[in-house]
Amino acid sequence: MTEELNIRRGVSEDIPELVRLYDETVGHLESHINYPGWKKGVYPGRDAAEEGVETGTLYVAETGGRIIGSIILNGKQEAAYNGVSWGVVAEPDEVMVIHTFLVHPDFRKSGAGKFLMEFAELQALREGKKTIRLDVYEKNEPAVRLYERQGYRYVATVDLGLGTWGLPWFKLYERTAEECLNGVLSRISPLSADAMELASLTWSHVAKPLYSLGILEEDVIKIAGISETQHVDIGKRALIIMCSDNGIVEEGVTQTGQEVTAVVTENMTDGNSSVCLMADRAGVDVFPVDIGVAIDLRSGARNPLIRKKLAYGTKNFHKEPAMTRETAVSAIAAGISVAGDLKEKGYRLIATGEMGIGNTTTSSAVAAMLLDRDPAEMTGRGAGLSDEGLMKKISVIREAVKRYGPECSDAIDVIAHVGGLDLAGLTGVFLGGAVYRIPVLIDGFISGTAALAAAKLAPPARDYMLATHVSAEPAGRLLLDELGLKPFVAAGMCLGEGTGAVASIPLLDMALEVYAKMSTFQDIQIEEYKPLAPQTNSGAH
């Protein structure tokens, strides 16, 4: 396929073309081998298209202005699904079912079918589904091969009541949310080398000493690679604040009580918090997310609350794992979902923040396990612990690392055992940045721990991250060194909420002003600077 393939939600204007797609596809099948057993004018037809469009569950694949495939993703399970032992126990609203999946015969070998299946995986994560299910006529060999290549697991063969149509038996398949997540992460693409080269060339022509804006220049080049264009634009930017409570506060590892999480989160929706005021000045839109606050929250009108609550806080990891692995996956998926929603709304830059009493404890525990370091190296005073409180905090984390370390096989396990829902959600935001090609700014220690977890799950994701400042927390520098990222601010900040990330955005703005508007050497008729060996990122007139 020479032209780009695009998938979008179907609209009413698509219905005539969808009917033609259905009729031409079924006509081809009937004149060759009718693997699915469809019948022209019966199924699929206008009724299926209209219902899918009306419910917002039909998606089309198009190229060159032509619809070449479609898929319906909803929660409708046939009655026979109920008598089957599925691999994932899920409520009906936690299941996505694939229906009416087809590609025009002219495009059978174009990769469009695989592309639609991959889209379904990402959509399931965005909708917070625990599993994808489907049925396929047992003799539909091409479809069976495709599903099995995509990692769908055979569950059972059932009668869907279509024997009178000559379709007595259907195979059922399933793919879990975690399997979908792994598939999505495996397809993260590298930065655009061409865009980065052009951005670097642009900097070399700007009438100033080479490399003299240091890390700011490097980050502009990186953003060009992420956005696949040298015309860098971060004019529309967002701050995602993941908010949740942590059961570990029961152990006296914090100076303030758990109730503060809810108060501050609600204040954020009113625009009344440190980071909200800073964001106003920096031109950043704020999106607080309730992913696990211990009570139900009201929402102010200024920054409406995004409701993604998975639990009313985590469990106390001193006594038991903080959450199940399944919940950790769901929280990561929620973060990916929020990032995807912002991409669709035109945002070009995402800053990360959090609110959750006890989350320096969870972050220290996660960081210690991911880096295999002594918890004492990774643990600070948080919002102001005494010496005695700090020692208690270190002791609690050390016991958890010793207890759970042998049980953890990857970053998801680590988050599930000793992490928090806010931390897991932020991990998803960093992964979502890589999936949707949006640069994501790391804030401080907690945000950096989530970035590290994301990089452990998908190493290419680190290329989509930008470090903004060095947290005053003890492990702040260690995390950035492990990620191979260089911050451009060192201000001793440790407030959290995303304040460091937001404070850094005006510096990027100023660098982009120079990048886009500064005269070139040619403009002022001066010979360009030549790079010297070795190159350095410092210079003076």
Side-chain angles (χ1 to χ4, degrees), residues 236-493:
K236 191 171 185 180
R237 52 278 196 105
L239 167 66
I240 298 173
I241 309 173
M242 288 289 175
C243 308
S244 71
D245 278 305
N246 300 281
I248 194 63
V249 299
E250 293 177 2
E251 300 303 317
V253 294
T254 61
Q255 186 181 41
T256 55
Q258 178 174 273
E259 67 279 358
V260 173
T261 302
V263 172
V264 176
T265 301
E266 290 183 339
N267 285 346
M268 286 173 170
T269 70
D270 296 324
N272 184 24
S273 77
S274 298
V275 78
C276 292
L277 298 172
M278 295 170 69
D280 282 347
R281 177 55 64 96
V284 179
D285 296 331
V286 178
F287 295 89
V289 181
D290 176 6
I291 196 168
V293 180
I295 64 171
D296 291 321
L297 303 175
R298 69 164 180 85
S299 175
R302 182 66 179 272
N303 303 314
L305 188 67
I306 297 175
R307 301 185 187 276
K308 296 280 186 180
K309 194 190 295 287
L310 294 169
Y312 289 89
T314 56
K315 295 181 171 60
N316 179 353
F317 71 67
H318 186 63
K319 300 176 180 177
E320 58 186 317
M323 67 190 92
T324 66
R325 183 179 176 94
E326 185 179 73
T327 300
V329 169
S330 294
I332 291 170
I336 293 174
S337 175
V338 176
D341 290 345
L342 293 181
K343 176 61 180 273
E344 287 185 355
K345 293 175 181 176
Y347 286 90
R348 304 294 185 89
L349 181 72
I350 294 175
T352 52
E354 37 60 42
M355 180 59 223
I357 300 302
N359 62 9
T360 59
T361 302
T362 58
S363 297
S364 293
V366 169
M369 292 180 73
L370 292 179
L371 294 177
D372 194 22
R373 304 292 286 257
D374 183 346
E377 295 181 72
M378 315 304 293
T379 307
R381 298 179 185 273
L385 283 174
S386 64
D387 289 345
E388 181 182 357
L390 176 61
M391 294 309 297
K392 175 68 178 295
K393 183 176 178 180
I394 292 171
S395 175
V396 166
I397 294 170
R398 187 171 280 140
E399 288 180 29
V401 170
K402 181 179 180 181
R403 177 180 177 183
Y404 298 124
E407 301 177 22
C408 296
S409 62
D410 62 7
I412 297 176
D413 272 349
V414 172
I415 291 171
H417 281 82
V418 299
L421 290 164
D422 52 350
L423 192 61
L426 285 179
T427 300
V429 172
F430 285 108
L431 294 171
V435 170
Y436 292 105
R437 302 193 74 93
I438 317 171
V440 183
L441 301 180
I442 301 172
D443 180 37
F445 172 56
I446 298 161
S447 173
T449 301
L452 178 62
K456 293 288 186 181
L457 293 173
R462 75 180 64 203
D463 291 337
Y464 292 79
M465 305 172 187
L466 282 73
T468 58
H469 76 112
V470 183
S471 170
E473 284 287 314
R477 173 67 69 176
L478 280 173
L479 290 171
L480 297 183
D481 288 346
E482 178 71 15
L483 288 165
L485 299 175
K486 294 178 285 187
F488 43 83
V489 174
M493 298 175 69

Side-chain angles (χ1 to χ4, degrees), residues 14-288:
D14 295 325
I15 291 175
E17 191 172 355
L18 282 165
V19 174
R20 284 196 298 272
L21 169 67
Y22 295 165
D23 287 347
E24 290 175 10
T25 301
V26 177
H28 175 84
L29 290 168
E30 289 180 340
S31 63
H32 293 76
I33 302 177
N34 192 352
Y35 288 108
W38 289 343
K39 297 188 182 299
K40 190 173 182 179
V42 179
Y43 188 87
R46 177 174 290 273
D47 289 347
E50 289 179 345
E51 181 182 356
V53 167
E54 183 179 345
T55 57
T57 58
L58 184 147
Y59 298 86
V60 299
E62 62 181 359
T63 183
R66 177 184 176 186
I67 295 176
I68 66 166
S70 73
I71 192 168
I72 293 176
L73 306 173
N74 60 31
K76 291 185 177 181
Q77 302 182 73
E78 299 290 343
Y81 283 39
N82 297 327
V84 171
S85 297
W86 296 96
V88 175
V89 177
E91 296 298 319
D93 62 354
E94 296 172 330
V95 177
M96 174 176 282
V97 184
I98 294 177
H99 298 280
T100 324
F101 165 46
L102 75 160
V103 174
H104 193 281
D106 291 348
F107 294 87
R108 283 182 303 165
K109 298 186 182 299
S110 67
K114 182 173 180 288
F115 196 51
L116 279 164
M117 293 299 292
E118 291 170 354
F119 171 82
E121 292 181 3
L122 184 54
Q123 194 63 22
L125 291 175
R126 290 187 63 177
E127 294 183 15
K129 305 302 184 184
K130 288 185 177 181
T131 182
I132 303 179
R133 295 172 182 171
L134 60 87
D135 56 73
V136 56
Y137 176 46
E138 64 174 350
K139 294 183 180 179
N140 189 350
E141 296 171 3
V144 168
R145 286 195 298 269
L146 174 62
Y147 299 145
E148 293 182 350
R149 281 199 305 269
Q150 289 297 111
Y152 283 76
R153 290 176 294 103
Y154 169 77
V155 176
T157 298
V158 298
D159 178 3
L160 296 185
L162 297 175
T164 56
W165 294 93
L167 307 171
W169 299 106
F170 283 75
K171 292 183 173 183
L172 302 184
Y173 285 86
E174 181 176 40
R175 189 158 169 81
T176 68
E178 184 171 341
E179 290 166 342
C180 291
L181 175 63
N182 292 336
V184 167
L185 299 185
S186 72
R187 295 188 290 273
I188 292 173
S189 55
L191 305 190
S192 169
D194 290 343
M196 295 175 73
E197 184 177 354
L198 289 170
S200 181
L201 187 63
T202 299
W203 274 124
S204 71
H205 293 321
V206 172
K208 65 170 188 60
L210 294 173
Y211 323 118
S212 53
L213 287 180
I215 295 167
L216 292 171
E217 290 191 33
E218 296 174 17
D219 283 350
V220 168
I221 293 170
K222 189 175 190 178
I223 294 172
I226 292 170
S227 55
E228 300 180 288
T229 176
Q230 77 271 27
H231 303 296
V232 176
D233 176 9
I234 59 168
K236 191 171 185 180
R237 52 278 196 105
L239 167 66
I240 298 173
I241 309 173
M242 288 289 175
C243 308
S244 71
D245 278 305
N246 300 281
I248 194 63
V249 299
E250 293 177 2
E251 300 303 317
V253 294
T254 61
Q255 186 181 41
T256 55
Q258 178 174 273
E259 67 279 358
V260 173
T261 302
V263 172
V264 176
T265 301
E266 290 183 339
N267 285 346
M268 286 173 170
T269 70
D270 296 324
N272 184 24
S273 77
S274 298
V275 78
C276 292
L277 298 172
M278 295 170 69
D280 282 347
R281 177 55 64 96
V284 179
D285 296 331
V286 178
F287 295 89

